[in-house]
Amino acid sequence: MLVRHAIDPTREAIAAARAHGVKIGFVPTMGFLHEGHLALVDEARAAGATYVVVSIFVNPKQFGPNEDFTRYPRDEERDAALLDARGVDLLFLPPVDVMYPPGSQTTVSVGAVARPLEGERRPGHFDGVATVVLKLFNIVQPDLAVFGRKDAQQCAVIERMVRDLDVPVRLVFGETVREQDGLAKSSRNSYLSAEERALAPVLHRALRAGEEAVTHGVHDVAGIEHLMRKMAEESKGVEVDYLAVVDPETFLSPADFRRDILLVGAVKIGRTRLIDNIRVTSR
Ligand code: AMP
């Protein structure tokens, strides 16, 4: 596996690979990798990539001033070993000043889909995400890029950006990889104390209860949201940020239960904020 820190050498390595006729697959991450990230590497190959690029960049622009940017977990050596073992071809590991040199002043701002839920609670977050993802796309120029459905609104924001700005990339979305007890794998799970970790699966349980209601024909948004909240709040030490029933494209209240429905949630346990979702397909 090649490791590159600067933009030009990354472009050169990819251009050399492309000259051999490879199909470039790209998986952007913030590192501290777990099986969820590595499954996206497999997903890239399954979708036809013959040269897989992974980036690790903890993007300061997608963190709010009171969020966890400085304490976000990092272990580049371990990450590199995991990616190498998974057959990744190139790891792009840029420092902040390579991605945002002094004087940079352009951002990408996605509209309505970026506003509710995560967008409302984390002002500027999705502008930061869209900006860094478009920059990474321009550096790597992948044929396909893989994102995890765990960050459902992020998937919708990027899909919207790619369509609106005619970005020549095929998007592939990977299913959420979970721990045995249902907790979605996340780099932020490393913040949880043993007691907090024991509480954490309640988010998934609440979403499952919502899923069960929808599949049994309950179409009352407020009722389902109340049910999910009640279930999550039964665990003392869990603070519900939101538990919502939304349309997976708009992230607003669904107009029609005959289409796919997304159950999304965010909770705080101690200082740790966890998000998760379940999609209920109409078929
Ligand atoms: P992050 O490093 O948290 O920015 O995540 C990088 C990519 O991995 C994003 O596309 C995430 O949606 C995806 N991802 C994170 N956790 C999981 C998971 N448990 N299962 C599948 N994909 C995930």
Side-chain angles (χ1 to χ4, degrees):
M1 183 177 73
L2 293 177
V3 182
R4 295 290 181 267
H5 299 272
I7 293 173
D8 285 345
T10 301
R11 286 206 167 114
E12 282 157 23
I14 293 168
R18 205 185 287 282
H20 289 96
V22 298
K23 196 166 177 176
I24 314 281
F26 178 44
V27 182
T29 82
M30 298 203 300
F32 211 70
L33 302 177
H34 50 69
E35 192 53 36
H37 297 112
L38 299 173
L40 300 184
V41 171
D42 299 347
E43 198 75 45
R45 294 245 182 242
T50 51
Y51 189 94
V52 178
V53 180
V54 173
S55 63
I56 296 178
F57 180 58
V58 185
N59 174 31
K61 288 206 190 292
Q62 71 187 69
F63 289 78
N66 299 314
E67 294 184 358
D68 55 344
F69 174 69
T70 47
R71 65 185 183 108
Y72 196 84
R74 292 162 165 90
D75 191 342
E76 291 173 358
E77 232 172 86
R78 179 177 161 274
D79 287 349
L82 288 170
L83 294 172
D84 195 15
R86 207 69 165 215
V88 168
D89 297 283
L90 172 65
L91 168 59
F92 178 48
L93 204 75
V96 171
D97 63 346
V98 161
M99 292 301 283
Y100 302 113
S104 79
Q105 49 186 267
T106 306
T107 48
V108 179
S109 187
V110 177
V113 68
R115 277 182 211 122
L117 301 172
E118 289 300 297
E120 193 181 332
R121 274 108 183 148
R122 305 185 68 190
H125 170 66
F126 285 127
D127 285 6
V129 169
T131 303
V132 82
V133 168
L134 186 61
K135 283 171 65 67
L136 291 166
F137 281 176
N138 284 334
I139 294 164
V140 175
Q141 294 183 257
D143 297 284
L144 62 98
V146 193
F147 293 85
R149 289 199 193 275
K150 195 212 143 212
D151 298 280
Q153 197 172 1
Q154 172 170 282
C155 291
V157 165
I158 290 162
E159 200 166 23
R160 192 70 255 171
M161 174 187 78
V162 162
R163 271 201 242 163
D164 291 349
L165 300 183
D166 308 301
V167 184
V169 65
R170 174 156 77 94
L171 296 178
V172 175
F173 299 113
E175 292 309 319
T176 302
V177 177
R178 300 177 179 284
E179 304 288 355
Q180 293 255 306
D181 59 10
L183 174 65
K185 291 202 184 237
S186 166
S187 310
R188 290 191 168 98
N189 292 351
S190 64
Y191 296 147
L192 299 168
S193 69
E195 300 85 73
E196 290 169 342
R197 172 64 187 81
L199 293 174
V202 77
L203 173 56
H204 183 240
R205 280 206 303 278
L207 294 167
R208 286 288 295 270
E211 176 189 35
E212 200 166 308
V214 175
T215 55
H216 282 81
V218 181
H219 292 175
D220 160 26
V221 169
I224 300 163
E225 290 179 348
H226 178 74
L227 169 88
M228 293 192 292
R229 179 177 281 270
K230 224 178 81 193
M231 174 156 249
E233 284 178 344
E234 268 169 22
S235 296
K236 257 188 28 200
V238 176
E239 184 194 323
V240 175
D241 190 343
Y242 62 82
L243 278 159
V245 182
V246 297
D247 176 304
E249 270 171 46
T250 63
F251 281 78
L252 300 172
S253 203
D256 188 351
F257 272 78
R258 281 169 300 186
R259 300 185 23 182
D260 284 10
I261 293 291
L262 198 69
L263 305 163
V264 279
V267 298
K268 265 191 94 174
I269 303 179
R271 289 170 73 201
T272 306
R273 188 169 181 278
L274 303 175
I275 62 167
D276 198 356
N277 69 88
I278 293 180
R279 190 169 179 136
V280 187
T281 51
S282 53
R283 279 157 279 114

